Amino acid sequence: MTTATAAPARERESLGEFLLRAPAVGPALALIVAIVVFSVATDTFFDLDNLSTVVQQSLVVGTLALGQTLVILIAGIDLSNAASMVVATLIMAKLAAAGTNGFVALLAGVVLTIIVGIFIGGLATRIKLPAFIITLGTFTMLTAVSKLIAGGQAVPVTDGLLQWLGTKRYLFGGIPITYGMTLALLMYLGVWYALTKTAWGKHVYAVGNAPESARLSGIKVNRTVLSVYIVAGLTFGIAAWQALGRTPNADPNQFQLGNLDSITAVVLGGTSLFGGRGSVLGTLMGALVVAVLRSGLTQMNVDGNYQDLATGALLIAAVVVDRIARRQQQS
């Protein structure tokens, strides 16, 4: 006689658990809703050229957000990423205007952002200062440095290499694609591979999730944290190159909200501010949502202050959703 054994009933997955398991789903749905809303509200939004422009506008924030994702994954935060990028743009433009080779000027800007990353990572690992305090102070210093470099005037970008990512483009299915867009996509693929396929990526998640447990398991926590800030600094330097491709001048007053937008993109993309959980795919979706939101509101002639208000509200909403999802998972 055969005895049938009833399979245990599968527990119903809560919404919070689903969002934790698939963090990119939420921002992807938000992106679709935003595109539909702005396509209905305006006559110009759903146009291939305009959508290509929106993607190009998301490049700088998207690249800043890529580095910010790594920092937040280790339960840190970088409030100085946009300021670091702006100083790099000014140094690149100033050196090129003074006759320095474009490649050397580009390299100088990127090296600067890496040095800033070493500075922040060094204080975080050696002195054990909170990342919030370190990067807030760094933000203040870099903002002052950018104004001192500029001397109250925007610096014209005179070298072709510095503008290359924004000016050189090709057609893909009739859609204009800049080299800056291609580079950003390759960077996302590279960081995705590093986080999911290498030991370094596993160490990043482990350090963000439980640093003491990571240390006891043999992971060199300080080395991992420092490496994250260095890689993040590299991405901020490349963001500076992308920024020069989109503007004729390096201006200390530009990209002042890059930090807010990048953090919003990261958190909206499902990366937890408490570290240890998140993905670059979610960040990519989050960056596109922020770009679509700002572009759509601009085409609806919404004042910039209200755009900042909406972006800030989006950030708070994303943090609330993350908090609720974590509580549901723990319960």
Side-chain angles (χ1 to χ4, degrees):
M1 188 172 78
T2 305
T3 303
T5 304
R10 184 181 179 187
E11 293 185 6
R12 186 176 179 182
E13 186 178 46
S14 69
L15 177 60
E17 291 170 333
F18 175 72
L19 291 176
L20 287 173
R21 185 169 56 82
V25 172
L29 292 175
L31 179 63
I32 294 172
V33 170
I35 290 175
V36 171
V37 169
F38 289 125
S39 298
V40 173
T42 69
D43 297 328
T44 56
F45 188 84
F46 197 76
D47 177 84
L48 287 181
D49 288 337
N50 180 64
L51 291 178
S52 175
T53 300
V54 171
V55 173
Q56 291 176 48
Q57 290 173 342
S58 72
L59 278 183
V60 176
V61 169
T63 304
L64 288 175
L66 184 61
Q68 190 76 267
T69 299
L70 294 172
V71 174
I72 292 179
L73 278 176
I74 58 167
I77 196 164
D78 193 341
L79 301 178
S80 64
N81 60 354
S84 176
M85 180 197 73
V86 169
V87 173
T89 62
L90 289 164
I91 287 178
M92 293 176 186
K94 272 274 188 181
L95 288 175
T100 304
N101 178 275
F103 178 76
V104 175
L106 170 63
L107 190 62
V110 174
V111 167
L112 169 81
T113 57
I114 292 175
I115 291 174
V116 173
I118 294 173
F119 172 73
I120 296 171
L123 289 178
T125 55
R126 299 299 178 184
I127 314 297
K128 303 298 181 185
L129 292 176
F132 173 82
I133 299 299
I134 301 170
T135 57
L136 182 61
T138 306
F139 163 78
T140 305
M141 291 190 297
L142 290 173
T143 301
V145 169
S146 66
K147 292 179 180 177
L148 290 171
I149 293 175
Q153 293 184 335
V155 183
V157 184
T158 57
D159 188 90
L161 177 62
L162 298 183
Q163 295 186 308
W164 183 75
L165 289 180
T167 55
K168 296 298 181 182
R169 60 188 63 197
Y170 58 93
L171 293 178
F172 182 80
I175 303 173
I177 306 291
T178 65
Y179 283 91
M181 296 164 67
T182 306
L183 177 60
L185 181 60
L186 292 175
M187 290 173 64
Y188 267 83
L189 287 173
V191 174
W192 168 82
Y193 182 85
L195 284 176
T196 59
K197 305 295 182 185
T198 68
W200 180 79
K202 292 179 175 61
H203 292 176
V204 169
Y205 281 104
V207 169
N209 193 42
E212 185 58 21
S213 298
R215 187 185 67 79
L216 292 174
S217 65
I219 295 174
K220 298 185 183 303
V221 175
N222 284 350
R223 184 179 297 179
T224 302
V225 170
L226 182 59
S227 69
V228 163
Y229 278 105
I230 291 174
V231 175
L234 173 62
T235 65
F236 303 152
I238 295 176
W241 189 14
Q242 291 173 330
L244 291 180
R246 295 195 45 77
T247 175
N249 300 300
D251 190 335
N253 298 314
Q254 287 182 323
F255 304 106
Q256 291 185 343
L257 295 174
N259 186 39
L260 169 66
D261 286 354
S262 68
I263 294 175
T264 302
V266 174
V267 179
L268 189 64
T271 297
S272 173
L273 281 173
F274 304 97
R277 181 177 59 82
S279 70
V280 294
L281 177 60
T283 296
L284 180 60
M285 293 292 108
L288 289 173
V289 170
V290 173
V292 166
L293 180 68
R294 287 197 177 276
S295 176
L297 292 177
T298 299
Q299 292 187 32
M300 293 175 66
N301 297 318
V302 175
D303 186 84
N305 291 324
Y306 288 104
Q307 294 184 29
D308 298 342
L309 184 67
T311 305
L314 200 61
L315 174 60
I316 293 174
V319 174
V320 169
V321 170
D322 175 63
R323 192 68 174 174
I324 293 174
R326 277 186 169 263
R327 284 183 177 177
Q328 289 187 0
Q329 185 189 43
Q330 291 169 357
S331 62

